[in-house]
Amino acid sequence: MGALRLATGRADGLRAMETTLDGAARSFWAAAICLPPFLALRLLGEDAPFTARALSAELAGYVIGWTAFPLLARRMAIAGGRGLRWPLFVAAWNWCNVVQYATLVLLSLASALGLPAGLATLLSLAILGYALWLGWFLTRHALALDGFNAIGFVLIDIATGILVSQAVAALSR
């Protein structure tokens, strides 16, 4: 419920998030929840992996994608004097990823049902903008950062995702 409140711009959604290291660890159940939609999106997409090697690379990338950024964010939070708030941040980040996967699934369903290509592209851009905003919003509030410093976390998240995607593509060949 906290992720839904955050997803609609309500910082009080953080009150529903766990603030301990154990709570942060439990929030990685979000990755298990998102695995079926991830597989469906990857296997049904235009660039679907059709070999065991490609699927293995996708799964490895999935695991790395869920763990690399939180570990980098921990170092950044500690360096910025926000280490004690990192478990809250990770819990919020993980659970908000479930919301983001839900929006991607809805877009994919709409596209499969005949959504015009131009509208699908526009919605994809809107979802990307929303994901960037949500990452910034939850980072700003969970780590108690100003807006500018929260952008740094979002940029590292994007860079990590790009690196993981490139590694998956290279391993898939």
Side-chain angles (χ1 to χ4, degrees):
M1 190 52 99
L4 291 176
R5 293 194 64 76
L6 287 167
T8 57
R10 295 183 181 105
D12 66 348
L14 289 171
R15 286 189 229 140
M17 301 292 165
E18 297 194 62
T19 61
T20 65
L21 288 174
D22 285 342
R26 277 190 294 276
S27 75
F28 281 93
W29 277 104
I33 292 167
C34 292
L35 182 59
F38 168 80
L39 289 172
L41 291 168
R42 294 302 297 137
L43 294 174
L44 300 174
E46 291 178 15
D47 58 341
F50 289 105
T51 66
R53 178 183 178 121
L55 182 58
S56 296
E58 290 286 346
L59 290 172
Y62 183 79
V63 171
I64 292 167
W66 276 88
T67 55
F69 174 67
L71 292 173
L72 289 170
R74 183 173 184 270
R75 300 287 300 210
M76 293 170 60
I78 290 169
R82 301 291 198 269
L84 293 177
R85 296 184 67 93
W86 178 80
L88 172 64
F89 166 76
V90 168
W93 185 80
N94 282 336
W95 292 116
C96 283
N97 275 319
V98 174
V99 174
Q100 291 176 3
Y101 266 94
T103 60
L104 290 173
V105 167
L106 290 174
L107 174 63
S108 294
L109 288 174
S111 295
L113 295 175
L115 189 67
L119 186 54
T121 300
L122 184 63
L123 284 175
S124 293
L125 288 173
I127 289 171
L128 174 61
Y130 171 74
L132 293 171
W133 169 83
L134 182 56
W136 172 83
F137 180 79
L138 76 86
T139 300
R140 187 171 151 253
H141 290 285
L143 292 174
L145 296 172
D146 60 46
F148 181 76
N149 285 317
I151 290 171
F153 278 81
V154 173
L155 292 175
I156 295 297
D157 188 9
I158 293 167
T160 303
I162 290 169
L163 288 172
V164 170
S165 293
Q166 289 177 338
V168 166
L171 290 171
S172 295
R173 292 190 276 263

